[in-house]
Each structure stands twice: as C-alpha cells, then as structure tokens.
Amino acid sequence: MLDLEVVPERSLGNEQWEFTLGMPLAQAVAILQKHCRIIKNVQVLYSEQSPLSHDLILNLTQDGIKLLFDAFNQRLKVIEVYDLTKVKLKYCGVHFNSQAIAPTIEQIDQSFGATHPGVYNSAEQLFHLNFRGLSFSFQLDSWTETPKYEPNFAHGLASLQIPHGATVKRMYIYNGNSLQDTKAPLMPLSCFLGNVYAENVDVLRDGTGPSGLRLRLLTAGCGPGVLADAKMRVFERCVYFGDSCQDVLSTLGSPHKVFYKSEDKMKIHSPSPHKQVPSKCNDYFFNYFTLGVDILFDANTHKVKKFVLHTNYPGHYNFNIYHRCEFKIPLVIKRDSADSQTETCTTYSKWDSIQDLLGHPVEKPVVLHRSSSPNNTNPFGSTFCFGLQRMIFEVMQNNHIASVTLYGPTRPSSQLRTSDLPHLSTQEWCGEEILSTLHHGAWNC
C-alpha cells in the first residue's frame, strides 16, 4: 500500500517520487514506468473521437488514484483519490488515513483545521468540504440522520451540519479555490529538470512556402550557484531551412536523441525507383522531445532539409514520445474572385476545416501503416498523409492532425535545371517523402 504525503494546491507523493500539479504528462508516465513494480495496473483513459472534449486520465486502479491532465496543454490539473482504502495518506507528516485511522470528519478537522462551510450536492448526494487547493467529499446515503440546512448562511450557500463518524469518499488536490473552475497551473520549476520547453512555435514562410520556425522557449534559469533564486526564463529562437548542424546546436542546444535513417521503403513511389542507388551515408534527425520538434539534416551538406511538428494526440502510434508542439502555420488560400488570403492552421485544427478553407478537397492521401516490427500490429490503425504547400499533414482517423512535416525548396543538382526535373503529383511526392520523414525517433522512456 502506498504511503503518500498530501500537499494542498501542489502535489501527492513520497520521498522517491511526486505527482505535482502542472507536471507534463510525459513526466508522470516516466514515474509510473520507473516504479512499475510498485505502481501496477495503470489505465490511460481518453476520448478516441473527441480527445479535446475530455481530460486525459491516468487511472492507478490498484491504488485508487486518478491523475487528470488538461486535454489541451497536457499538464496535470487535478489529483483525485477515489478509494481511500487502497492508500495511506498523511499531511505534514501525520497520517489522517490509514488502516488504523479512518478519515472521518473529526479526523479531517483535527488534521487540517477549520474551513468555510461545506456545500451539499443533492444530485451526487455528496457533501464537499473545501480548503484552498484541497477538497473532501463525504457520502450521505449511509447517514442515519437527515442533514440540517441553513439556507440563508454565507450569502445563500447552504451550511451543513455533518453527523459524527462520516468518512471521506473522495479527495481532490487542485489549483485555486474552486475544483469546478480549476485550471492546470504553469509548469513548476522543479519539473524542468534542465530541459527547454516550447511555449509556442510559429512557422515562418516566404512567397513559395515554409522557410523556418520561430520558437518561444521556456527554461528554468537561476542565479550563480543559488538554487533558491531559480526563475523561469523566456526567449525566442529561429531556425531556418539551410541552417547548418552547428547553427541549430547553438540555437536550440543539444537534441535528446540523434536518429540516423537506415532505409527508405517509399522509394517505390519515385518515378524511377530502379535508378536509385543506395546512399553511402544517411540523413539524420535531431529529436527534440520536449519541443515536440524533429529536424532532418542532409547527410552530405549537414544542413536542415525538413522539420517535423508533433501534436501528441492520444490514440496515435507515437503518443507520449514528444511533448505537444503548439504550432501556428499560415496557409495561403487562393480565391477565384479575390487576392490570396492567409488563414492559420493550429495544433487543434481538424483536417476537414482546412479543406473547407481551401475550398476544395486535397488529392488522395498516402496511407501510412506503422509498426515496431514486421510481426507486430498497430492497435491505433493507419493514418493518412496529405500534401499541401510544401507540407505533409499526417491525419488520424478522428480527423485530428498527428504531425506536420515542413520541407524546404527543392535544390536541383548542378546537372539539372529546375525545368528539367520530373513533375511529381501531390500523391507521388507525398509518398516519396513520407516514410523518410516519419519513420524515426525512439520511445522516450
């Protein structure tokens, strides 16, 4: 049985680990993976068709704990203990719930002190006793006496006189004064762990298409040798197509992983696949997991040739490898009776809304099947890759965008002029580019 310390408006944990409000989803999963021998039977709950309409939940069924993450920013919003018989709880080092101590109303009052009058929810038949950042719910159906109301107390809020011996059914840890209105706080400084995170990423473009990225970055800096002076730092960086490997390293720092391409199974979509000669060296990716960005470098020139932006939706094969990239992509919309207009595609845009903006459907997609080995199947199904304005949109079956690949302008060799290059349809170049771009990375364990 877990023995955990409750810190109102902050965390639930022990000396080895701690679930902290504002913590990114990936860090919570990393804790569960590291302590898998102690914390078992974890469920991931989400809406398959509408992943933004409900919180993303990690349900620790063996321990009676739920971790609720905001569907948009994927940071920890609420910690719920829904079965207090499966866990020991203490506050300021003193237990108020264990096998020997029942979490009665008297015990809560002794451990946490006085607070405002509670609120009775008749629909749930629950009485909620609220502290700042902490709430306890008491079940009424087992009570032998009827609750007494004072409806004119505290500006109309009912005050309830609770019978002795009533025990806690649920406990919630959250940010602020109201569980109903709470939001996931900003990421605590303790969760940065030396990493840099992207607050948002803007796609820059010129007259022909994407030209680079402008990233607004967050990190936890501190004074010289004084950890107590740590504070969040915000700064902007830009990376462009054609930047050298050294340019990117000096701009964004070292990647979490470097991945070298080993094969290109999509060369069959090339107009002349039999003429392709195996390359003596391989292109390579810089994987920036906390930015939600991959950068592909040309093996010969060592310059940027592609960017990949990840949305990290649950139900996708790469879920939880990357943090969500909050991107904005300008799309040029050409109208028949007017000049071109610019619309914005974001991390939360759906593919059908993009097609509506374009005013016409995009060509047939390339179907992408992912699996970790030839003998394994992908439980999440296939995704569909559409080519548009020097970008490849990988779309999930629920119509949400899983990733966007941006590639730079074509640079013909010295023996070919641009007009001499073979023309590729959207489906052909999408197929030719897709696997070399998307089959990369490694699970972030």
Side-chain angles (χ1 to χ4, degrees):
M1 182 179 290
L2 296 178
D3 191 356
L4 304 177
E5 178 81 20
V6 173
V7 183
E9 205 174 14
R10 180 186 150 187
S11 65
L12 179 70
N14 55 29
E15 295 178 354
Q16 286 74 41
W17 51 264
E18 185 178 49
F19 294 122
T20 307
L21 296 178
M23 168 184 284
L25 171 67
Q27 286 190 19
V29 172
I31 291 175
L32 298 175
Q33 290 175 329
K34 184 176 181 180
H35 300 279
C36 61
R37 294 186 179 182
I38 301 173
I39 307 174
K40 303 177 181 179
N41 302 327
V42 179
Q43 298 175 335
V44 181
L45 308 177
Y46 63 94
S47 173
E48 185 174 354
Q49 292 302 317
S50 303
L52 297 176
S53 61
H54 302 280
D55 290 333
L56 176 62
I57 300 174
L58 297 181
N59 184 14
L60 285 57
T61 57
Q62 176 180 278
D63 306 298
I65 299 172
K66 285 182 180 178
L67 306 176
L68 284 70
F69 294 83
D70 185 273
F72 287 84
N73 57 46
Q74 297 186 338
R75 296 195 302 269
L76 184 55
K77 182 171 73 173
V78 176
I79 302 171
E80 175 187 351
V81 181
Y82 62 86
D83 191 342
L84 278 76
T85 64
K86 296 181 177 181
V87 65
K88 296 179 183 179
L89 299 173
K90 55 188 176 181
Y91 174 64
C92 295
V94 179
H95 284 95
F96 64 90
N97 175 65
S98 67
Q99 293 173 324
I101 303 174
T104 62
I105 182 63
E106 292 82 12
Q107 182 63 52
I108 298 302
D109 183 66
Q110 179 182 342
S111 298
F112 293 90
T115 185
H116 297 289
V119 178
Y120 175 61
N121 187 318
S122 57
E124 297 178 344
Q125 286 194 321
L126 290 176
F127 168 72
H128 301 287
L129 188 65
N130 301 316
F131 299 83
R132 180 173 177 84
L134 182 70
S135 290
F136 296 96
S137 298
F138 298 83
Q139 185 73 51
L140 298 189
D141 54 9
S142 62
W143 290 4
T144 56
E145 64 177 274
T146 305
K148 298 178 182 179
Y149 298 92
E150 299 175 14
N152 296 322
F153 185 81
H155 305 287
L157 293 177
S159 175
L160 190 60
Q161 188 177 14
I162 312 173
H164 296 290
T167 58
V168 176
K169 182 177 178 63
R170 295 190 184 96
M171 182 192 75
Y172 302 90
I173 303 173
Y174 53 91
N175 185 56
N177 287 314
S178 171
L179 177 61
Q180 288 71 31
D181 300 329
T182 190
K183 296 181 181 180
L186 296 176
M187 189 189 310
L189 296 177
S190 60
C191 292
F192 277 86
L193 302 176
N195 292 304
V196 178
Y197 292 84
E199 184 177 35
N200 54 64
V201 176
D202 293 327
V203 174
L204 307 174
R205 66 174 299 149
D206 52 26
T208 61
S211 61
L213 304 178
R214 180 172 62 238
L215 303 95
R216 183 177 172 85
L217 303 176
L218 305 175
T219 188
C222 59
V226 183
L227 185 60
D229 292 340
K231 60 182 180 180
M232 185 180 298
R233 295 177 52 218
V234 182
F235 53 97
E236 286 191 356
R237 294 290 186 269
C238 293
V239 184
Y240 299 94
F241 290 110
D243 280 357
S244 68
C245 174
Q246 290 82 359
D247 292 334
V248 175
L249 285 172
S250 63
T251 301
L252 301 180
S254 299
H256 295 90
K257 191 177 185 67
V258 179
F259 178 81
Y260 289 86
K261 288 168 48 182
S262 58
E263 57 182 340
D264 188 357
K265 297 177 182 177
M266 297 298 284
K267 64 184 179 182
I268 192 172
H269 290 278
S270 171
S272 304
H274 61 281
K275 293 183 179 179
Q276 290 196 358
V277 179
S279 176
K280 295 181 180 180
C281 51
N282 299 322
D283 292 348
Y284 54 96
F285 286 95
F286 277 7
N287 303 130
Y288 290 94
F289 296 127
T290 57
L291 304 183
V293 175
D294 291 322
I295 302 176
L296 178 65
F297 292 91
D298 184 273
N300 297 311
T301 64
H302 301 285
K303 292 186 177 182
V304 175
K305 59 188 294 188
K306 294 178 188 175
F307 297 101
V308 186
L309 315 179
H310 299 271
T311 59
N312 196 43
Y313 277 107
H316 185 257
Y317 187 78
N318 284 338
F319 175 64
N320 199 52
I321 296 180
Y322 300 86
H323 289 252
R324 172 166 288 169
C325 179
E326 300 273 356
F327 59 73
K328 292 182 180 180
I329 303 175
L331 298 176
V332 176
I333 310 300
K334 295 182 179 180
R335 307 293 185 188
D336 294 335
S337 57
D339 295 334
S340 297
Q341 298 178 352
T342 301
E343 301 286 348
T344 302
C345 167
T346 72
T347 307
Y348 310 107
S349 299
K350 285 192 169 183
W351 181 245
D352 56 1
S353 66
I354 295 176
Q355 291 196 121
D356 291 341
L357 288 174
L358 295 173
H360 60 82
V362 181
E363 295 184 37
K364 291 183 179 180
V366 171
V367 181
L368 181 61
H369 303 277
R370 296 173 184 266
S371 63
S372 56
S373 71
N375 296 325
N376 290 343
T377 58
N378 178 0
F380 305 114
S382 304
T383 54
F384 308 95
C385 300
F386 297 86
L388 175 66
Q389 300 179 13
R390 290 217 326 257
M391 292 175 284
I392 297 173
F393 290 81
E394 183 191 3
V395 181
M396 301 167 62
Q397 296 185 17
N398 60 11
N399 214 22
H400 282 280
I401 298 171
S403 68
V404 181
T405 302
L406 319 172
Y407 61 98
T410 303
R411 290 184 172 86
S413 66
S414 58
Q415 292 145 357
L416 287 174
R417 301 189 310 272
T418 304
S419 58
D420 296 329
L421 293 175
H423 174 71
L424 293 180
S425 68
T426 300
Q427 187 171 5
E428 287 174 329
W429 66 251
C430 188
E432 191 174 3
E433 298 288 341
I434 203 70
L435 189 126
S436 64
T437 301
L438 297 175
H439 278 203
H440 63 277
W443 191 260
N444 186 17
C445 297

